[in-house]
Amino acid sequence: MTAEIESNFLADIGRRVRALRADQDLTLEQLARLTGISAPALSLIETGKRDARLTTLAKIAAALRVPIRALLEDQTNDASTGGDAPAEGYDLGDYL
Amino acid sequence: MTAEIESNFLADIGRRVRALRADQDLTLEQLARLTGISAPALSLIETGKRDARLTTLAKIAAALRVPIRALLEDQTNDASTGGDAPAEGYDLGDYL
DNA sequence: AGCTGGCTTATCTTTATCGGTAAAACAGTA
DNA sequence: TACTGTTTTACCGATAAAGATAAGCCAGCT
């Protein structure tokens, strides 16, 4: 339950990193040099197997020249799936 | 240089967490129970002294019922209803 | 003064990130 | 079949996050 949502959360981030890297035709080695993060570490993050630190994700976002926000959530709002709507329109789907 | 930008980055996140917590009149103890993160750990994050993991920030955002995006960057220029379009050139100020 | 609540800091243990290196799996392609 | 490039996985050591606990600090209040 909790662990599943967490791994989905990390896997989503990893997919976005990988997609952005592919858009710029960068290899893991190249992104590793740009970020200072090793290629194995990047691979773990992209495959959702590592719970990276905030500054680590910030380095990746900077190297890809996108705001960190672009790595975290879909910019398309979707309808709520759970229960209560917190007054403004967010649902967040109750991460954890 | 690099370390300074990092600490600004973390301090900004911490300030947003603290502001949102204050908006909801929550103490560190209460947020600790909501998130499962200890109050000392939350204090370190809010004061910008800790480089938290992604799932840790996700827990905080969920407890505060805001999208994680709200903790990471200023969204004062958004205020739109559904069409959140980045659309224009980012600078990101070269984190790292 | 003595409280009390909220926050910070310190110490400790467990656990995980992270870089480095190396090896292994997986494409493609000749 | 080999060969090459890319990615994944495994191990190692150093560093750091996170929980727990305790102590310190700083308000406000009786």
Side-chain angles (χ1 to χ4, degrees), chain B residues 21-58:
Chain B
R21 178 170 64 84
D23 283 347
Q24 304 182 24
D25 287 314
L26 293 173
T27 67
L28 282 179
E29 289 291 338
Q30 290 171 328
L31 187 57
R33 282 197 299 272
L34 288 172
T35 56
I37 302 166
S38 65
L42 290 173
S43 176
L44 290 172
I45 291 169
E46 287 189 355
T47 52
K49 297 185 177 68
R50 175 160 291 187
D51 190 2
R53 294 172 196 162
L54 288 172
T55 58
T56 301
L57 197 70

PDB file of all heavy atoms in Angstrom, chain B residues 21-58:
ATOM      1  N   ARG B  21       2.530  24.743   6.951  1.00  0.00           N
ATOM      2  CA  ARG B  21       2.181  24.166   8.246  1.00  0.00           C
ATOM      3  C   ARG B  21       1.557  25.228   9.151  1.00  0.00           C
ATOM      4  O   ARG B  21       0.563  24.955   9.850  1.00  0.00           O
ATOM      5  CB  ARG B  21       3.427  23.567   8.903  1.00  0.00           C
ATOM      6  CG  ARG B  21       3.167  22.979  10.267  1.00  0.00           C
ATOM      7  CD  ARG B  21       4.352  22.194  10.774  1.00  0.00           C
ATOM      8  NE  ARG B  21       5.537  23.027  10.985  1.00  0.00           N
ATOM      9  CZ  ARG B  21       5.774  23.738  12.080  1.00  0.00           C
ATOM     10  NH1 ARG B  21       4.891  23.713  13.069  1.00  0.00           N
ATOM     11  NH2 ARG B  21       6.860  24.465  12.214  1.00  0.00           N
ATOM     12  N   ALA B  22       2.111  26.416   9.105  1.00  0.00           N
ATOM     13  CA  ALA B  22       1.545  27.494   9.925  1.00  0.00           C
ATOM     14  C   ALA B  22       0.141  27.847   9.457  1.00  0.00           C
ATOM     15  O   ALA B  22      -0.724  28.154  10.285  1.00  0.00           O
ATOM     16  CB  ALA B  22       2.460  28.724   9.862  1.00  0.00           C
ATOM     17  N   ASP B  23      -0.076  27.804   8.162  1.00  0.00           N
ATOM     18  CA  ASP B  23      -1.412  28.114   7.640  1.00  0.00           C
ATOM     19  C   ASP B  23      -2.461  27.175   8.211  1.00  0.00           C
ATOM     20  O   ASP B  23      -3.628  27.549   8.353  1.00  0.00           O
ATOM     21  CB  ASP B  23      -1.420  27.993   6.114  1.00  0.00           C
ATOM     22  CG  ASP B  23      -0.776  29.193   5.453  1.00  0.00           C
ATOM     23  OD1 ASP B  23      -0.564  30.206   6.150  1.00  0.00           O
ATOM     24  OD2 ASP B  23      -0.480  29.115   4.251  1.00  0.00           O
ATOM     25  N   GLN B  24      -2.037  25.964   8.512  1.00  0.00           N
ATOM     26  CA  GLN B  24      -2.995  24.983   8.997  1.00  0.00           C
ATOM     27  C   GLN B  24      -2.899  24.805  10.509  1.00  0.00           C
ATOM     28  O   GLN B  24      -3.478  23.874  11.064  1.00  0.00           O
ATOM     29  CB  GLN B  24      -2.762  23.644   8.283  1.00  0.00           C
ATOM     30  CG  GLN B  24      -2.839  23.798   6.773  1.00  0.00           C
ATOM     31  CD  GLN B  24      -2.671  22.493   6.028  1.00  0.00           C
ATOM     32  OE1 GLN B  24      -2.920  21.430   6.583  1.00  0.00           O
ATOM     33  NE2 GLN B  24      -2.241  22.559   4.777  1.00  0.00           N
ATOM     34  N   ASP B  25      -2.147  25.679  11.134  1.00  0.00           N
ATOM     35  CA  ASP B  25      -2.022  25.659  12.597  1.00  0.00           C
ATOM     36  C   ASP B  25      -1.594  24.292  13.111  1.00  0.00           C
ATOM     37  O   ASP B  25      -2.180  23.759  14.061  1.00  0.00           O
ATOM     38  CB  ASP B  25      -3.342  26.069  13.250  1.00  0.00           C
ATOM     39  CG  ASP B  25      -3.603  27.562  13.106  1.00  0.00           C
ATOM     40  OD1 ASP B  25      -2.662  28.347  13.349  1.00  0.00           O
ATOM     41  OD2 ASP B  25      -4.728  27.928  12.724  1.00  0.00           O
ATOM     42  N   LEU B  26      -0.604  23.764  12.476  1.00  0.00           N
ATOM     43  CA  LEU B  26      -0.086  22.467  12.919  1.00  0.00           C
ATOM     44  C   LEU B  26       1.242  22.675  13.636  1.00  0.00           C
ATOM     45  O   LEU B  26       2.050  23.517  13.237  1.00  0.00           O
ATOM     46  CB  LEU B  26       0.120  21.539  11.715  1.00  0.00           C
ATOM     47  CG  LEU B  26      -1.127  21.075  10.971  1.00  0.00           C
ATOM     48  CD1 LEU B  26      -0.730  20.314   9.716  1.00  0.00           C
ATOM     49  CD2 LEU B  26      -1.982  20.210  11.866  1.00  0.00           C
ATOM     50  N   THR B  27       1.446  21.903  14.677  1.00  0.00           N
ATOM     51  CA  THR B  27       2.746  21.900  15.331  1.00  0.00           C
ATOM     52  C   THR B  27       3.628  20.849  14.658  1.00  0.00           C
ATOM     53  O   THR B  27       3.162  20.014  13.876  1.00  0.00           O
ATOM     54  CB  THR B  27       2.608  21.572  16.813  1.00  0.00           C
ATOM     55  OG1 THR B  27       2.167  20.216  16.934  1.00  0.00           O
ATOM     56  CG2 THR B  27       1.635  22.497  17.491  1.00  0.00           C
ATOM     57  N   LEU B  28       4.900  20.898  14.961  1.00  0.00           N
ATOM     58  CA  LEU B  28       5.804  19.882  14.420  1.00  0.00           C
ATOM     59  C   LEU B  28       5.373  18.496  14.874  1.00  0.00           C
ATOM     60  O   LEU B  28       5.464  17.532  14.113  1.00  0.00           O
ATOM     61  CB  LEU B  28       7.245  20.174  14.860  1.00  0.00           C
ATOM     62  CG  LEU B  28       7.970  21.282  14.106  1.00  0.00           C
ATOM     63  CD1 LEU B  28       9.363  21.476  14.675  1.00  0.00           C
ATOM     64  CD2 LEU B  28       8.057  20.954  12.633  1.00  0.00           C
ATOM     65  N   GLU B  29       4.930  18.402  16.104  1.00  0.00           N
ATOM     66  CA  GLU B  29       4.489  17.109  16.619  1.00  0.00           C
ATOM     67  C   GLU B  29       3.298  16.582  15.823  1.00  0.00           C
ATOM     68  O   GLU B  29       3.236  15.391  15.494  1.00  0.00           O
ATOM     69  CB  GLU B  29       4.107  17.240  18.098  1.00  0.00           C
ATOM     70  CG  GLU B  29       5.289  17.447  19.025  1.00  0.00           C
ATOM     71  CD  GLU B  29       6.159  16.194  19.114  1.00  0.00           C
ATOM     72  OE1 GLU B  29       5.648  15.097  18.818  1.00  0.00           O
ATOM     73  OE2 GLU B  29       7.336  16.320  19.479  1.00  0.00           O
ATOM     74  N   GLN B  30       2.374  17.466  15.527  1.00  0.00           N
ATOM     75  CA  GLN B  30       1.200  17.029  14.772  1.00  0.00           C
ATOM     76  C   GLN B  30       1.580  16.609  13.358  1.00  0.00           C
ATOM     77  O   GLN B  30       1.120  15.582  12.857  1.00  0.00           O
ATOM     78  CB  GLN B  30       0.163  18.155  14.742  1.00  0.00           C
ATOM     79  CG  GLN B  30      -0.486  18.403  16.097  1.00  0.00           C
ATOM     80  CD  GLN B  30      -1.345  19.660  16.108  1.00  0.00           C
ATOM     81  OE1 GLN B  30      -1.073  20.631  15.412  1.00  0.00           O
ATOM     82  NE2 GLN B  30      -2.395  19.644  16.925  1.00  0.00           N
ATOM     83  N   LEU B  31       2.428  17.393  12.734  1.00  0.00           N
ATOM     84  CA  LEU B  31       2.854  17.029  11.390  1.00  0.00           C
ATOM     85  C   LEU B  31       3.683  15.747  11.420  1.00  0.00           C
ATOM     86  O   LEU B  31       3.634  14.940  10.485  1.00  0.00           O
ATOM     87  CB  LEU B  31       3.663  18.166  10.762  1.00  0.00           C
ATOM     88  CG  LEU B  31       4.029  17.982   9.296  1.00  0.00           C
ATOM     89  CD1 LEU B  31       2.798  17.776   8.432  1.00  0.00           C
ATOM     90  CD2 LEU B  31       4.858  19.157   8.781  1.00  0.00           C
ATOM     91  N   ALA B  32       4.398  15.566  12.502  1.00  0.00           N
ATOM     92  CA  ALA B  32       5.178  14.335  12.632  1.00  0.00           C
ATOM     93  C   ALA B  32       4.260  13.121  12.665  1.00  0.00           C
ATOM     94  O   ALA B  32       4.535  12.101  12.032  1.00  0.00           O
ATOM     95  CB  ALA B  32       6.035  14.400  13.905  1.00  0.00           C
ATOM     96  N   ARG B  33       3.172  13.242  13.390  1.00  0.00           N
ATOM     97  CA  ARG B  33       2.239  12.113  13.432  1.00  0.00           C
ATOM     98  C   ARG B  33       1.579  11.892  12.087  1.00  0.00           C
ATOM     99  O   ARG B  33       1.354  10.758  11.664  1.00  0.00           O
ATOM    100  CB  ARG B  33       1.176  12.352  14.506  1.00  0.00           C
ATOM    101  CG  ARG B  33       1.680  12.082  15.917  1.00  0.00           C
ATOM    102  CD  ARG B  33       0.520  11.923  16.895  1.00  0.00           C
ATOM    103  NE  ARG B  33      -0.302  13.124  16.960  1.00  0.00           N
ATOM    104  CZ  ARG B  33      -0.085  14.152  17.782  1.00  0.00           C
ATOM    105  NH1 ARG B  33       0.927  14.105  18.616  1.00  0.00           N
ATOM    106  NH2 ARG B  33      -0.880  15.193  17.781  1.00  0.00           N
ATOM    107  N   LEU B  34       1.281  12.973  11.397  1.00  0.00           N
ATOM    108  CA  LEU B  34       0.626  12.845  10.097  1.00  0.00           C
ATOM    109  C   LEU B  34       1.543  12.216   9.062  1.00  0.00           C
ATOM    110  O   LEU B  34       1.097  11.480   8.181  1.00  0.00           O
ATOM    111  CB  LEU B  34       0.155  14.220   9.606  1.00  0.00           C
ATOM    112  CG  LEU B  34      -1.042  14.831  10.319  1.00  0.00           C
ATOM    113  CD1 LEU B  34      -1.258  16.265   9.848  1.00  0.00           C
ATOM    114  CD2 LEU B  34      -2.292  14.007  10.052  1.00  0.00           C
ATOM    115  N   THR B  35       2.812  12.519   9.148  1.00  0.00           N
ATOM    116  CA  THR B  35       3.733  12.085   8.110  1.00  0.00           C
ATOM    117  C   THR B  35       4.497  10.814   8.470  1.00  0.00           C
ATOM    118  O   THR B  35       4.973  10.108   7.588  1.00  0.00           O
ATOM    119  CB  THR B  35       4.779  13.176   7.825  1.00  0.00           C
ATOM    120  OG1 THR B  35       5.441  13.506   9.052  1.00  0.00           O
ATOM    121  CG2 THR B  35       4.113  14.410   7.261  1.00  0.00           C
ATOM    122  N   GLY B  36       4.616  10.549   9.763  1.00  0.00           N
ATOM    123  CA  GLY B  36       5.487   9.458  10.178  1.00  0.00           C
ATOM    124  C   GLY B  36       6.944   9.870  10.242  1.00  0.00           C
ATOM    125  O   GLY B  36       7.817   9.042  10.463  1.00  0.00           O
ATOM    126  N   ILE B  37       7.190  11.147  10.044  1.00  0.00           N
ATOM    127  CA  ILE B  37       8.554  11.687  10.143  1.00  0.00           C
ATOM    128  C   ILE B  37       8.700  12.338  11.507  1.00  0.00           C
ATOM    129  O   ILE B  37       7.794  13.040  11.961  1.00  0.00           O
ATOM    130  CB  ILE B  37       8.805  12.716   9.023  1.00  0.00           C
ATOM    131  CG1 ILE B  37       8.588  12.068   7.663  1.00  0.00           C
ATOM    132  CG2 ILE B  37      10.182  13.318   9.132  1.00  0.00           C
ATOM    133  CD1 ILE B  37       8.476  13.073   6.537  1.00  0.00           C
ATOM    134  N   SER B  38       9.806  12.106  12.156  1.00  0.00           N
ATOM    135  CA  SER B  38       9.975  12.624  13.507  1.00  0.00           C
ATOM    136  C   SER B  38      10.041  14.149  13.493  1.00  0.00           C
ATOM    137  O   SER B  38      10.448  14.760  12.507  1.00  0.00           O
ATOM    138  CB  SER B  38      11.249  12.062  14.125  1.00  0.00           C
ATOM    139  OG  SER B  38      12.379  12.530  13.428  1.00  0.00           O
ATOM    140  N   ALA B  39       9.651  14.727  14.597  1.00  0.00           N
ATOM    141  CA  ALA B  39       9.662  16.188  14.692  1.00  0.00           C
ATOM    142  C   ALA B  39      11.063  16.773  14.525  1.00  0.00           C
ATOM    143  O   ALA B  39      11.208  17.792  13.837  1.00  0.00           O
ATOM    144  CB  ALA B  39       9.043  16.617  16.025  1.00  0.00           C
ATOM    145  N   PRO B  40      12.087  16.181  15.110  1.00  0.00           N
ATOM    146  CA  PRO B  40      13.428  16.721  14.846  1.00  0.00           C
ATOM    147  C   PRO B  40      13.799  16.694  13.363  1.00  0.00           C
ATOM    148  O   PRO B  40      14.407  17.640  12.858  1.00  0.00           O
ATOM    149  CB  PRO B  40      14.340  15.795  15.659  1.00  0.00           C
ATOM    150  CG  PRO B  40      13.486  15.336  16.775  1.00  0.00           C
ATOM    151  CD  PRO B  40      12.118  15.178  16.183  1.00  0.00           C
ATOM    152  N   ALA B  41      13.427  15.643  12.684  1.00  0.00           N
ATOM    153  CA  ALA B  41      13.725  15.583  11.251  1.00  0.00           C
ATOM    154  C   ALA B  41      12.978  16.674  10.498  1.00  0.00           C
ATOM    155  O   ALA B  41      13.540  17.326   9.609  1.00  0.00           O
ATOM    156  CB  ALA B  41      13.369  14.206  10.705  1.00  0.00           C
ATOM    157  N   LEU B  42      11.728  16.888  10.859  1.00  0.00           N
ATOM    158  CA  LEU B  42      10.968  17.955  10.217  1.00  0.00           C
ATOM    159  C   LEU B  42      11.585  19.314  10.490  1.00  0.00           C
ATOM    160  O   LEU B  42      11.639  20.171   9.595  1.00  0.00           O
ATOM    161  CB  LEU B  42       9.514  17.924  10.709  1.00  0.00           C
ATOM    162  CG  LEU B  42       8.667  16.753  10.241  1.00  0.00           C
ATOM    163  CD1 LEU B  42       7.318  16.756  10.944  1.00  0.00           C
ATOM    164  CD2 LEU B  42       8.472  16.801   8.735  1.00  0.00           C
ATOM    165  N   SER B  43      12.059  19.497  11.681  1.00  0.00           N
ATOM    166  CA  SER B  43      12.689  20.769  12.021  1.00  0.00           C
ATOM    167  C   SER B  43      13.917  21.007  11.157  1.00  0.00           C
ATOM    168  O   SER B  43      14.140  22.119  10.657  1.00  0.00           O
ATOM    169  CB  SER B  43      13.058  20.774  13.504  1.00  0.00           C
ATOM    170  OG  SER B  43      13.758  21.963  13.831  1.00  0.00           O
ATOM    171  N   LEU B  44      14.710  19.983  10.973  1.00  0.00           N
ATOM    172  CA  LEU B  44      15.904  20.131  10.141  1.00  0.00           C
ATOM    173  C   LEU B  44      15.531  20.454   8.696  1.00  0.00           C
ATOM    174  O   LEU B  44      16.195  21.263   8.046  1.00  0.00           O
ATOM    175  CB  LEU B  44      16.736  18.848  10.201  1.00  0.00           C
ATOM    176  CG  LEU B  44      17.425  18.579  11.540  1.00  0.00           C
ATOM    177  CD1 LEU B  44      18.051  17.193  11.562  1.00  0.00           C
ATOM    178  CD2 LEU B  44      18.495  19.625  11.797  1.00  0.00           C
ATOM    179  N   ILE B  45      14.483  19.831   8.210  1.00  0.00           N
ATOM    180  CA  ILE B  45      14.067  20.094   6.831  1.00  0.00           C
ATOM    181  C   ILE B  45      13.559  21.529   6.703  1.00  0.00           C
ATOM    182  O   ILE B  45      13.910  22.248   5.763  1.00  0.00           O
ATOM    183  CB  ILE B  45      12.983  19.082   6.415  1.00  0.00           C
ATOM    184  CG1 ILE B  45      13.595  17.677   6.296  1.00  0.00           C
ATOM    185  CG2 ILE B  45      12.327  19.492   5.101  1.00  0.00           C
ATOM    186  CD1 ILE B  45      12.568  16.572   6.144  1.00  0.00           C
ATOM    187  N   GLU B  46      12.762  21.957   7.672  1.00  0.00           N
ATOM    188  CA  GLU B  46      12.184  23.303   7.583  1.00  0.00           C
ATOM    189  C   GLU B  46      13.242  24.392   7.715  1.00  0.00           C
ATOM    190  O   GLU B  46      13.071  25.488   7.196  1.00  0.00           O
ATOM    191  CB  GLU B  46      11.118  23.475   8.667  1.00  0.00           C
ATOM    192  CG  GLU B  46       9.830  22.706   8.378  1.00  0.00           C
ATOM    193  CD  GLU B  46       8.724  23.072   9.362  1.00  0.00           C
ATOM    194  OE1 GLU B  46       8.992  23.831  10.310  1.00  0.00           O
ATOM    195  OE2 GLU B  46       7.591  22.586   9.171  1.00  0.00           O
ATOM    196  N   THR B  47      14.291  24.095   8.408  1.00  0.00           N
ATOM    197  CA  THR B  47      15.349  25.095   8.563  1.00  0.00           C
ATOM    198  C   THR B  47      16.418  24.944   7.483  1.00  0.00           C
ATOM    199  O   THR B  47      17.453  25.611   7.550  1.00  0.00           O
ATOM    200  CB  THR B  47      15.982  24.979   9.956  1.00  0.00           C
ATOM    201  OG1 THR B  47      16.370  23.616  10.185  1.00  0.00           O
ATOM    202  CG2 THR B  47      15.011  25.395  11.024  1.00  0.00           C
ATOM    203  N   GLY B  48      16.185  24.073   6.531  1.00  0.00           N
ATOM    204  CA  GLY B  48      17.097  23.956   5.407  1.00  0.00           C
ATOM    205  C   GLY B  48      18.396  23.258   5.712  1.00  0.00           C
ATOM    206  O   GLY B  48      19.375  23.390   4.979  1.00  0.00           O
ATOM    207  N   LYS B  49      18.415  22.506   6.792  1.00  0.00           N
ATOM    208  CA  LYS B  49      19.660  21.850   7.206  1.00  0.00           C
ATOM    209  C   LYS B  49      19.726  20.395   6.775  1.00  0.00           C
ATOM    210  O   LYS B  49      20.717  19.713   7.048  1.00  0.00           O
ATOM    211  CB  LYS B  49      19.806  21.922   8.732  1.00  0.00           C
ATOM    212  CG  LYS B  49      19.911  23.326   9.274  1.00  0.00           C
ATOM    213  CD  LYS B  49      20.174  23.321  10.769  1.00  0.00           C
ATOM    214  CE  LYS B  49      20.339  24.745  11.290  1.00  0.00           C
ATOM    215  NZ  LYS B  49      19.076  25.524  11.219  1.00  0.00           N
ATOM    216  N   ARG B  50      18.688  19.921   6.144  1.00  0.00           N
ATOM    217  CA  ARG B  50      18.684  18.515   5.744  1.00  0.00           C
ATOM    218  C   ARG B  50      18.255  18.382   4.287  1.00  0.00           C
ATOM    219  O   ARG B  50      17.307  19.015   3.853  1.00  0.00           O
ATOM    220  CB  ARG B  50      17.744  17.700   6.641  1.00  0.00           C
ATOM    221  CG  ARG B  50      17.608  16.256   6.207  1.00  0.00           C
ATOM    222  CD  ARG B  50      17.117  15.370   7.301  1.00  0.00           C
ATOM    223  NE  ARG B  50      18.099  15.207   8.368  1.00  0.00           N
ATOM    224  CZ  ARG B  50      17.941  14.351   9.384  1.00  0.00           C
ATOM    225  NH1 ARG B  50      16.866  13.613   9.463  1.00  0.00           N
ATOM    226  NH2 ARG B  50      18.865  14.248  10.306  1.00  0.00           N
ATOM    227  N   ASP B  51      18.967  17.532   3.577  1.00  0.00           N
ATOM    228  CA  ASP B  51      18.686  17.248   2.168  1.00  0.00           C
ATOM    229  C   ASP B  51      17.793  16.011   2.103  1.00  0.00           C
ATOM    230  O   ASP B  51      18.254  14.897   1.943  1.00  0.00           O
ATOM    231  CB  ASP B  51      20.021  17.008   1.454  1.00  0.00           C
ATOM    232  CG  ASP B  51      19.859  16.938  -0.051  1.00  0.00           C
ATOM    233  OD1 ASP B  51      18.725  17.113  -0.528  1.00  0.00           O
ATOM    234  OD2 ASP B  51      20.858  16.704  -0.731  1.00  0.00           O
ATOM    235  N   ALA B  52      16.507  16.236   2.226  1.00  0.00           N
ATOM    236  CA  ALA B  52      15.574  15.127   2.381  1.00  0.00           C
ATOM    237  C   ALA B  52      15.458  14.297   1.107  1.00  0.00           C
ATOM    238  O   ALA B  52      15.865  14.716   0.023  1.00  0.00           O
ATOM    239  CB  ALA B  52      14.193  15.673   2.754  1.00  0.00           C
ATOM    240  N   ARG B  53      14.934  13.112   1.276  1.00  0.00           N
ATOM    241  CA  ARG B  53      14.684  12.243   0.132  1.00  0.00           C
ATOM    242  C   ARG B  53      13.342  12.593  -0.501  1.00  0.00           C
ATOM    243  O   ARG B  53      12.484  13.214   0.124  1.00  0.00           O
ATOM    244  CB  ARG B  53      14.689  10.783   0.574  1.00  0.00           C
ATOM    245  CG  ARG B  53      16.050  10.343   1.049  1.00  0.00           C
ATOM    246  CD  ARG B  53      16.006   8.966   1.652  1.00  0.00           C
ATOM    247  NE  ARG B  53      17.227   8.732   2.419  1.00  0.00           N
ATOM    248  CZ  ARG B  53      17.372   7.792   3.323  1.00  0.00           C
ATOM    249  NH1 ARG B  53      16.359   6.995   3.603  1.00  0.00           N
ATOM    250  NH2 ARG B  53      18.508   7.636   3.961  1.00  0.00           N
ATOM    251  N   LEU B  54      13.176  12.117  -1.714  1.00  0.00           N
ATOM    252  CA  LEU B  54      11.967  12.454  -2.457  1.00  0.00           C
ATOM    253  C   LEU B  54      10.719  11.952  -1.755  1.00  0.00           C
ATOM    254  O   LEU B  54       9.729  12.671  -1.635  1.00  0.00           O
ATOM    255  CB  LEU B  54      12.049  11.869  -3.865  1.00  0.00           C
ATOM    256  CG  LEU B  54      13.042  12.572  -4.785  1.00  0.00           C
ATOM    257  CD1 LEU B  54      13.197  11.804  -6.080  1.00  0.00           C
ATOM    258  CD2 LEU B  54      12.567  13.980  -5.057  1.00  0.00           C
ATOM    259  N   THR B  55      10.731  10.736  -1.286  1.00  0.00           N
ATOM    260  CA  THR B  55       9.525  10.219  -0.646  1.00  0.00           C
ATOM    261  C   THR B  55       9.254  10.935   0.676  1.00  0.00           C
ATOM    262  O   THR B  55       8.093  11.015   1.101  1.00  0.00           O
ATOM    263  CB  THR B  55       9.651   8.707  -0.390  1.00  0.00           C
ATOM    264  OG1 THR B  55      10.789   8.459   0.420  1.00  0.00           O
ATOM    265  CG2 THR B  55       9.789   7.948  -1.690  1.00  0.00           C
ATOM    266  N   THR B  56      10.303  11.455   1.291  1.00  0.00           N
ATOM    267  CA  THR B  56      10.095  12.216   2.516  1.00  0.00           C
ATOM    268  C   THR B  56       9.333  13.500   2.212  1.00  0.00           C
ATOM    269  O   THR B  56       8.367  13.844   2.915  1.00  0.00           O
ATOM    270  CB  THR B  56      11.444  12.529   3.167  1.00  0.00           C
ATOM    271  OG1 THR B  56      12.114  11.309   3.458  1.00  0.00           O
ATOM    272  CG2 THR B  56      11.254  13.315   4.445  1.00  0.00           C
ATOM    273  N   LEU B  57       9.745  14.189   1.168  1.00  0.00           N
ATOM    274  CA  LEU B  57       9.026  15.395   0.796  1.00  0.00           C
ATOM    275  C   LEU B  57       7.610  15.069   0.331  1.00  0.00           C
ATOM    276  O   LEU B  57       6.674  15.833   0.583  1.00  0.00           O
ATOM    277  CB  LEU B  57       9.776  16.152  -0.308  1.00  0.00           C
ATOM    278  CG  LEU B  57       9.338  17.608  -0.476  1.00  0.00           C
ATOM    279  CD1 LEU B  57       9.787  18.436   0.711  1.00  0.00           C
ATOM    280  CD2 LEU B  57       9.856  18.201  -1.762  1.00  0.00           C
ATOM    281  N   ALA B  58       7.454  13.934  -0.312  1.00  0.00           N
ATOM    282  CA  ALA B  58       6.121  13.536  -0.767  1.00  0.00           C
ATOM    283  C   ALA B  58       5.194  13.299   0.423  1.00  0.00           C
ATOM    284  O   ALA B  58       4.010  13.659   0.372  1.00  0.00           O
ATOM    285  CB  ALA B  58       6.221  12.279  -1.630  1.00  0.00           C
TER     286      ALA B  58
END
